[in-house]
Amino acid sequence: MGAVYINIVFIFVLMFLGYYLTYKGWFNDTVGDAFSKLVLQIALPSSMFLTITRNFTQAEFLELAKGTIVPIVSMLLTFVVSFIYIKVFKVAVSRRGIFSTAFTCSNTIFIGLPINYAIFGSRAIPFALLYYIVNTTLFWTVGIYLIASDNPQFTKEKVQFNPLVALKKIFSPALGGFMLGVTWVLIQLPLPESVTTFLDYLANLTTPLSMFIIGIIVYGVGITKLSLDKEIIGVLVGRYLISPLLVWAVGQFVTVPPLMLSVFIIQAAMPVQNSIPILARSYQADQKFAASSLGYSVLLYLLYIPVLLKIML
């Protein structure tokens, strides 16, 4: 347990280093965009491919497919709870879409992946990817519609979805690395040691670059500009109580491997999805509320994760 906490602390040290280097002018939004591309298009696909080819067999992939039921059902239920919360606590009309999306959708890659790796090791990565696929699918369909609807200029008829954009987000290079790894295992091709070493170099970039990105984002949000109100508290309740609790509850009815369920719970209990402030700005929604929700969820996470692990492990 102590070693896990130390690993998590070091991960957040990387985040604060990213924050500090942004403050010093070493990093900026342009650098953050470059880091994001490196992680999503190069480092993460390499990590997925290596994890699959090293740790999984054909039989275990059947369990993977079955496991998607848990995040699908739990996230849909979380959306429903968010709608109830909005009615009961009278969330402002201009914030309801952002509220529901932040309440339900988590940061499954830039924070979720490093944290799960630190806690459970490389065998957790495919399970983390499964949750990521469901999370991303719902975010770029239901979530984007709700955020756009916060702007009174967008009616239900005017909100336009771009299926190609949604598919591009869902079927990312990371998923490509995952599927290539599956294919490699199924046809049982040998993997040269030199190729493994090269991919290891790329895969090892995932955690530090991911946390640098979060540091850059938190700096951009501006800690001194964060405003805490009852609606942000509601987002935090959704992220850190309702969402993981519903995953656990669904897991009592749908039988999945214990490690898979644990990874799903950790993924469900992540900070707010980091694209929400970007979409809020794009649709002229309440960007300050979106940014504050993200900022507070990231800052609170360092205090929250030891409590969650104490309960789970």
Side-chain angles (χ1 to χ4, degrees):
M1 180 72 73
V4 170
Y5 289 152
I6 291 173
N7 289 340
I8 293 173
V9 168
F10 283 156
I11 287 174
F12 275 87
V13 168
L14 289 172
M15 185 195 78
F16 290 122
L17 178 59
Y19 181 96
Y20 176 74
L21 293 178
T22 307
Y23 164 76
K24 295 294 289 184
W26 289 28
F27 296 162
N28 53 36
D29 288 341
T30 302
V31 174
D33 290 341
F35 284 172
S36 295
K37 290 179 181 178
L38 276 171
V39 170
L40 294 176
Q41 298 183 24
I42 297 177
L44 190 54
S46 300
S47 177
M48 292 296 176
F49 178 81
L50 285 178
T51 299
I52 293 298
T53 55
R54 284 174 172 171
N55 297 303
F56 284 84
T57 64
Q58 183 178 6
E60 289 170 317
F61 289 120
L62 299 177
E63 292 293 331
L64 285 179
K66 178 183 176 183
T68 56
I69 297 173
V70 175
I72 290 171
V73 173
S74 63
M75 288 192 68
L76 290 175
L77 288 174
T78 307
F79 267 119
V80 172
V81 173
S82 76
F83 300 149
I84 296 172
Y85 193 104
I86 285 170
K87 295 294 184 182
V88 172
F89 292 95
K90 297 179 172 59
V91 174
V93 174
S94 62
R95 292 181 164 187
R96 290 181 176 180
I98 293 173
F99 180 90
S100 288
T101 307
F103 193 98
T104 304
C105 299
S106 57
N107 193 322
T108 54
I109 287 294
F110 293 126
I111 297 182
L113 198 65
I115 294 295
N116 273 291
Y117 185 85
I119 298 170
F120 302 114
S122 61
R123 287 186 63 84
I125 302 303
F127 305 144
L129 179 63
L130 281 186
Y131 195 95
Y132 157 78
I133 293 169
V134 176
N135 184 82
T136 303
T137 301
L138 290 176
F139 177 77
W140 287 101
T141 51
V142 178
I144 195 172
Y145 173 80
L146 292 173
I147 292 171
S149 298
D150 279 349
N151 186 333
Q153 294 180 359
F154 292 90
T155 65
K156 291 183 178 180
E157 290 75 27
K158 290 181 180 178
V159 176
Q160 298 294 323
F161 293 108
N162 187 331
L164 293 179
V165 172
L167 286 173
K168 185 178 179 182
K169 295 293 182 181
I170 298 164
F171 295 100
S172 61
L175 182 57
F178 176 85
M179 297 307 298
L180 182 59
V182 171
T183 303
W184 205 276
V185 169
L186 293 179
I187 61 180
Q188 297 181 327
L189 287 177
L191 190 63
E193 186 176 347
S194 57
V195 174
T196 300
T197 301
F198 174 70
L199 293 177
D200 259 328
Y201 290 147
L202 297 177
N204 289 336
L205 294 171
T206 302
T207 295
L209 290 184
S210 295
M211 298 316 294
F212 284 165
I213 292 165
I214 296 300
I216 294 169
I217 290 172
V218 172
Y219 181 84
V221 168
I223 292 178
T224 59
K225 298 178 183 177
L226 298 180
S227 58
L228 184 64
D229 54 37
K230 65 180 180 66
E231 288 156 351
I232 290 176
I233 292 173
V235 168
L236 298 176
V237 169
R239 287 283 76 249
Y240 297 141
L241 180 62
I242 303 299
S243 186
L245 190 59
L246 285 174
V247 170
W248 174 84
V250 174
Q252 306 312 300
F253 296 94
V254 180
T255 303
V256 296
L259 176 60
M260 180 184 286
L261 182 59
S262 295
V263 171
F264 287 167
I265 292 172
I266 296 295
Q267 285 286 62
M270 286 291 151
V272 168
Q273 222 280 359
N274 59 282
S275 295
I276 290 178
I278 298 171
L279 288 176
R281 179 171 56 192
S282 297
Y283 286 103
Q284 293 85 52
D286 193 336
Q287 185 182 353
K288 183 178 179 182
F289 172 59
S292 294
S293 297
L294 172 63
Y296 273 111
S297 68
V298 172
L299 295 175
L300 181 62
Y301 191 72
L302 188 57
L303 300 176
Y304 167 76
I305 188 61
V307 177
L308 179 62
L309 292 180
K310 191 73 174 179
I311 296 171
M312 290 180 56
L313 301 182

